[in-house]
Amino acid sequence: KEQESYEEARRRQRERDAAEQRERRRQAQREAEKQAAEEKERRRQREREEWEEWRKAEHARQQKEDQFERQRQDDLRRRQQQVEEELRRRMRDQWNRFHNQTHSGPNPGPHPGPHPGPSFGARGPGSARGPRGFPKPPPSGSQSARLNPPAAMTAEQRQVWNELQKLQSVAAPEKKKAVKDLLFKWHPDKNPNNQEVATSVFQFIQQQKKQLGVD
C-alpha cells in the first residue's frame, strides 16, 4: 500500500507539473500575442503619421503650384495689357502726328494787294504745267491722293480702312510697322473664335497696303 500511495502521489505531482507547464506556455503565448498586437498597432500608428505627413506635404506642394500658376497668369495678363496700351499709345501718337501735319501752318487768306496778272507762259489755273512750260511739282504731305475706298465694306473693314487712312502722311518705317501690327492683330491664327471675319480683314489689309506703298 505504501508503494501504491507513493506511486499515486508521484503521478499526481507529475500531472500538476504538466498542468503548470501548460499554463506557463499559455501565459507565454498570450504575452507574445499581446506584444505582437502592440507592435502591429505601433506600426499602424507610424504608417498613419507618415501618411499624414505626406498628405500635408502634398497639400503644401499643390498650394505652391497653384500660387505659381496664378502668378504666371497675372504676369501674362499684365504683359498683354502693357502690349495693348503700347499699341493704343502708338496709334494715338500716329493720329496726333497726322492731325498736326494736316492742320499745321496758318491759313494765308486772300492776297491783300491787287491780283497780279498772268505770268509769262502760264496756261490758266487748271493747267498741268507751270510758268515757262515747266511741269508742276507733285503734291506732297497731306495733299497726296487718298486711299480709294472699296464699294462695300464690313464694319471691321471700315474700321481698318479708317486706321489705314491715318497712315498716309506717316513716315515709311512707322507706316510699315503700323501695317505689320494690324496684320498681326487680324491674323486668323490670332482670332480662332472669329476666323472668317479675321480672314476677310487680313486679306483686305493685304490689298490696301499696296496703295500705301508698303512692301
Side-chain angles (χ1 to χ4, degrees):
K1 289 183 179 179
E2 290 179 359
Q3 184 68 25
E4 291 178 358
S5 61
Y6 177 73
E7 291 293 335
E8 183 67 20
R10 289 187 62 183
R11 184 179 63 78
R12 290 179 180 176
Q13 184 64 34
R14 285 195 298 270
E15 290 178 353
R16 284 195 296 269
D17 292 343
E20 290 178 358
Q21 190 175 3
R22 285 195 300 270
E23 183 62 25
R24 284 194 296 271
R25 283 198 299 268
R26 284 195 294 268
Q27 184 69 23
Q29 186 177 0
R30 286 194 295 269
E31 189 68 25
E33 290 176 355
K34 183 180 178 180
Q35 291 179 358
E38 291 177 354
E39 180 64 24
K40 186 176 181 180
E41 183 62 26
R42 286 194 295 269
R43 187 169 62 252
R44 289 179 177 177
Q45 182 66 24
R46 286 195 300 269
E47 290 176 355
R48 285 193 295 267
E49 292 176 356
E50 290 176 358
W51 183 86
E52 186 67 22
E53 291 179 358
W54 177 85
R55 189 185 64 82
K56 291 180 180 178
E58 186 68 16
H59 181 67
R61 185 186 64 82
Q62 187 66 31
Q63 284 185 339
K64 187 178 295 184
E65 289 182 357
D66 294 343
Q67 183 180 2
F68 175 78
E69 182 64 21
R70 287 194 299 269
Q71 184 176 1
R72 190 182 69 84
Q73 292 291 340
D74 293 340
D75 293 342
L76 181 61
R77 193 179 303 108
R78 193 179 303 112
R79 285 195 296 268
Q80 289 178 351
Q81 292 177 356
Q82 291 176 356
V83 170
E84 292 176 358
E85 291 177 358
E86 180 67 18
L87 182 60
R88 286 195 294 268
R89 186 186 64 80
R90 291 179 180 178
M91 296 298 296
R92 188 165 54 250
D93 293 343
Q94 291 175 1
W95 165 249
N96 292 334
R97 284 194 296 270
F98 170 76
H99 183 75
N100 293 334
Q101 290 176 2
T102 54
H103 295 82
S104 61
N107 189 6
H111 195 276
H115 193 277
S119 18
F120 179 77
R123 297 173 180 263
S127 175
R129 306 184 72 84
R132 298 183 180 276
F134 292 104
K136 286 185 177 180
S140 61
S142 60
Q143 297 177 356
S144 59
R146 292 185 174 274
L147 290 173
N148 297 323
M153 291 187 291
T154 62
E156 292 81 4
Q157 292 176 351
R158 172 70 64 178
Q159 178 184 358
V160 171
W161 186 75
N162 292 333
E163 294 179 3
L164 292 175
Q165 265 195 325
K166 301 173 185 177
L167 301 176
Q168 292 181 106
S169 58
V170 179
E174 297 179 358
K175 184 188 302 183
K176 185 175 182 179
K177 188 177 185 306
V179 172
K180 185 178 180 181
D181 292 341
L182 285 174
L183 289 172
F184 180 80
K185 176 182 177 183
W186 287 101
H187 197 279
D189 294 341
K190 298 296 180 180
N191 299 272
N193 297 329
N194 200 4
Q195 284 194 349
E196 294 183 0
V197 176
T199 302
S200 64
V201 176
F202 186 82
Q203 295 175 353
F204 176 78
I205 298 173
Q206 292 281 4
Q207 296 172 358
Q208 295 297 321
K209 75 175 186 177
K210 297 178 182 179
Q211 298 187 29
L212 288 172
V214 179
D215 297 333

